[in-house]
């Protein structure tokens, strides 16, 4: 059970594996008014930056779960680097089926709602590990601008326009599922650029060092096509944010 190797190559030395930068991640932690000892479950925790930096800055405790062995190892190393290894732990496993031993104060799935087949299913997964009155964190794309055609939809990594909602539609969905939206921090075009462009440099350096690798052709094509796709479609039409929710 693991992610394809291309994911590890593409993310390279990135610590935040979504269109947030360190400032926005810190803003979210402050906005949630985290107290020392707050317990957090981070599903699809990636390289652990959310848990590790919030443990350092707010003295939270928690567990991260991710399917990637490489990302889990990087998260454990980051915890040691920041001196928070006694506060947080990282588990290699299937986030969709993981249930904590005790309910937590905050349950997060930031940028991976595919584990529940979408927002509604992911909220059900988060709720089963959440204490009454606890906060669910969901990271999710939304349409900034209504896509004019199918080419634009596919340029934003969607199969159909209905794969994403606009921001009002996403907020309405939270309410329809029985949750109050209590905070949100949104990515902007610059943080999209930082995330996307970092992939291009990672891919180019890997290709230069591994020209004969079986993945080289696939990743060469990605590097050729992705910059134009990003500036033409993704940065203009697709937004992304993390939304804090409390069950009604």
């Amino acid at each position: 059970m693991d992610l394809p190797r291309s994911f590890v190559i593409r993310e390279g030395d990135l610590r935040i594996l979504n269109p947030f930068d360190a400032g926005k991640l810190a803003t979210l932690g402050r906005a949630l008014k985290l107290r020392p000892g707050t317990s957090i479950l981070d599903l699809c925790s990636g390289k652990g930056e959310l848990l590790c930096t919030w443990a350092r800055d707010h003295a939270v405790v928690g567990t991260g779960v991710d399917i990637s062995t490489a990302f889990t190892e990087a998260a454990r190393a980051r915890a040691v680097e920041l001196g928070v290894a006694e506060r947080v732990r990282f588990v290699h496993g299937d986030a969709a089926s993981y249930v904590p031993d005790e309910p937590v104060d905050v349950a997060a799935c930031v940028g991976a709602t595919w584990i529940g087949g979408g927002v509604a299913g992911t909220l059900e997964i988060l709720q089963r590990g959440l204490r009454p009155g606890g906060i669910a964190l969901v990271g999710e794309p939304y349409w900034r601008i209504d896509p004019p055609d199918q080419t634009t939809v596919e340029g934003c990594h969607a199969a159909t326009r209905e794969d994403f909602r606009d921001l009002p539609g996403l907020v309405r969905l939270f309410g329809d599922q029985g949750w109050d939206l209590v905070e949100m921090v949104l990515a902007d075009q610059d943080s999209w650029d930082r995330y996307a462009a970092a992939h291009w440099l990672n891919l180019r350096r890997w290709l230069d060092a591994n020209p004969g690798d079986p993945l080289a052709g696939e990743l060469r094509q990605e590097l050729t096509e992705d910059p134009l796709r990003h500036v033409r479609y993704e940065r203009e039409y697709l937004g992304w944010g993390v939304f804090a929710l409390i069950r009604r």
Side-chain angles (χ1 to χ4, degrees):
M1 181 172 57
D2 212 334
L3 284 178
R5 189 161 58 102
S6 59
F7 283 78
V8 178
I9 295 167
R10 186 181 301 110
E11 300 296 348
D13 60 356
L14 289 176
R15 288 176 174 163
I16 300 173
L17 310 186
N18 56 59
F20 256 19
D21 56 28
K24 289 186 181 296
L25 185 60
T27 294
L28 179 62
R30 293 192 298 270
L32 295 176
K33 301 178 175 63
L34 298 169
R35 299 177 179 177
T38 296
S39 58
I40 299 177
L41 173 65
D42 188 8
L43 298 179
C44 300
S45 52
K47 296 184 182 180
E49 195 71 359
L50 182 152
L51 273 177
C52 289
T53 57
W54 288 3
R56 177 195 64 193
D57 297 341
H58 304 284
V60 305
V61 299
T63 298
V65 184
D66 200 277
I67 198 173
S68 168
T69 54
F71 293 168
T72 301
E73 291 172 3
R76 291 168 179 162
R78 183 63 166 158
V80 172
E81 178 185 358
L82 296 186
V84 297
E86 294 183 356
R87 291 186 170 273
V88 296
R89 70 186 186 103
F90 294 95
V91 177
H92 172 243
D94 178 12
S97 61
Y98 185 87
V99 180
D101 294 334
E102 297 181 358
V104 298
D105 300 313
V106 178
C109 181
V110 177
T113 58
W114 50 265
I115 68 169
V119 171
T122 299
L123 285 171
E124 292 179 6
I125 291 172
L126 294 175
Q127 185 179 358
R128 73 190 181 199
L130 196 60
R131 69 165 178 78
I135 293 175
L137 293 180
V138 175
E140 181 72 0
Y142 58 89
W143 294 119
R144 291 182 61 245
I145 303 171
D146 188 43
D149 50 40
Q150 183 63 18
T151 300
T152 303
V153 169
E154 294 175 5
C156 294
H157 297 296
T160 71
R161 190 171 307 189
E162 289 68 35
D163 285 350
F164 306 131
R165 294 166 174 80
D166 62 11
L167 187 55
L170 185 56
V171 171
R172 186 179 303 112
L173 173 63
F174 296 145
D176 290 345
Q177 296 298 314
W179 297 78
D180 287 323
L181 177 63
V182 297
E183 257 296 355
M184 67 180 188
V185 178
L186 304 182
D188 54 29
Q189 287 178 312
D190 182 66
S191 54
W192 261 122
D193 291 345
R194 297 277 47 76
Y195 183 51
H199 289 164
W200 309 334
L201 183 57
N202 290 338
L203 290 173
R204 177 52 196 262
R205 286 178 170 167
W206 183 87
L207 286 165
D208 288 346
N210 301 274
D213 191 281
L215 278 176
E218 172 188 332
L219 297 185
R220 174 67 259 177
Q221 182 177 359
E222 179 178 336
L223 178 57
T224 300
E225 297 174 353
D226 195 67
L228 181 58
R229 183 199 57 78
H230 173 72
V231 300
R232 175 64 181 86
Y233 301 114
E234 189 174 62
R235 79 185 306 271
E236 296 298 325
Y237 288 93
L238 198 60
W240 194 89
V242 181
F243 303 88
L245 311 164
I246 298 178
R247 187 75 177 172
R248 289 176 183 164

